Structure formats: C-alpha cells, structure tokens
Amino acid sequence: KMQELLRKNNKYYTEVNKLKKILKLIVPLLATLVLLTACSGEKTKEFIKNSDGHELKATLYYKDEVVNKFVTVDTIINNKDNITVDFVQQALQNSIGNISGYSYNVEEKNGKITITYVIDYNKLDFDKAKSALRIPENSLEEARKLSTITKRITENGFKEK
C-alpha cells in the first residue's frame, strides 16, 4: 500500500516537473511574442461621437501613415424606434452585401444594440467598397492614409479621445 502511494506521488511530481519545464519554455516565447507585437510599430487612434441616441467609437490601427484596420462600434443607446438586431442585419445586408475585407456584426447587449464595423484595408476589395461605402478617394492608397481618414472622421463630428 505504501509503495503504491509513493509510486503515485512520484508520478505526480514527474508530471508537475514536466509541466514546469514546458512552462519555462513557453513563458519566454510568449513574452517575446508580446514584445514583438507591441514593438511592431502599429499604433492606435481613438475617436468618439455621441449623436441622436448613438454612441460611436472609432479606432484606427496604423503604422506610419498607413491605416491597416478601421473599427467602428456603434451602440444604439436610445432605441426609441424599437429597432431589432434582425432588422439592422437585414438592412446592412441589403445596402452593403458582402465585401471582402469589410465586415459587420450586430448584437444586443443589456438592451442596447451594438453594431461593429471592421475595415481590414489589407484584404479590402476596394472597387466593391468604393461604391457600397461611398469612399470618395480614387485609390486604396489614398483611402487608407491616416491623414485622409482622420480628416474625414473629424469632419463628421468625431473627437479624438
């Protein structure tokens, strides 16, 4: 009986030591990955706007003068028209359809409808997006410039956070 307990105990310590060795390998790798990601040079700019029962937050992910991703979160705070998630999804699908590099998600949280729009400029089908999203610029390079987007967003009443 005692030998069996010792064997189980020994097996347990062997497993724990294996886990410790694995963690000693993984932790420095994760730390390096986090540092590389943080130091990759990508920065963010946030803008906010409150308008007509909507709380809007726009985040630009950019490196140098090039925006890689543009995320807008529109929270309908005052849903006086009783808009439903299905209605918003259907309206977006009908007006925008499917565009590569552009996505939206509609969900209800705490009685508020939240719509998250994501433009991934690295995957964006610019020709389709230009007409559907009414992008005034004639080239993807111009449309994804930090100065272009910042100018357009502030002209639409957003304030930098």
Side-chain angles (χ1 to χ4, degrees), residues 18-67:
K18 279 184 190 174
L19 280 173
K20 282 182 181 177
K21 285 179 183 174
I22 291 170
L23 281 174
K24 282 181 184 176
L25 288 171
I26 291 175
V27 169
L29 286 172
L30 286 175
T32 306
L33 189 65
V34 167
L35 277 174
L36 285 174
T37 306
C39 299
S40 68
E42 190 168 79
K43 298 175 188 158
T44 60
K45 264 190 184 204
E46 288 187 349
F47 298 84
I48 51 171
K49 175 182 177 180
N50 288 309
S51 147
D52 196 30
H54 291 252
E55 184 179 272
L56 295 135
K57 180 181 165 199
T59 307
L60 303 176
Y61 297 86
Y62 66 97
K63 184 173 180 175
D64 301 323
E65 178 62 16
V66 179
V67 176

Side-chain angles (χ1 to χ4, degrees), residues 2 16 25 27 46 53 63 65 72 75 86 108 110-111 114 121 126 129 134 146 148 153:
M2 189 66 162
V16 167
L25 288 171
V27 169
E46 288 187 349
K63 184 173 180 175
E65 178 62 16
T72 307
T75 305
D86 289 338
E108 190 170 344
N110 306 325
T114 301
Y121 285 102
F126 183 72
R134 294 182 197 91
L146 182 62
T148 302
I153 203 168

Side-chain angles (χ1 to χ4, degrees), residues 85-132:
V85 169
D86 289 338
F87 175 79
V88 175
Q89 282 176 327
Q90 197 60 53
L92 288 169
Q93 184 61 42
N94 291 340
S95 64
I96 297 167
N98 295 319
I99 300 170
S100 182
Y102 180 80
S103 62
Y104 50 85
N105 182 46
V106 185
E107 58 189 357
E108 190 170 344
K109 284 187 209 165
N110 306 325
K112 297 176 186 174
I113 293 180
T114 301
I115 311 155
T116 304
Y117 305 91
V118 179
I119 299 174
D120 183 339
Y121 285 102
N122 297 320
K123 298 175 183 168
L124 187 65
D125 179 339
F126 183 72
D127 294 329
K128 265 181 134 176
K130 183 171 172 40
S131 60

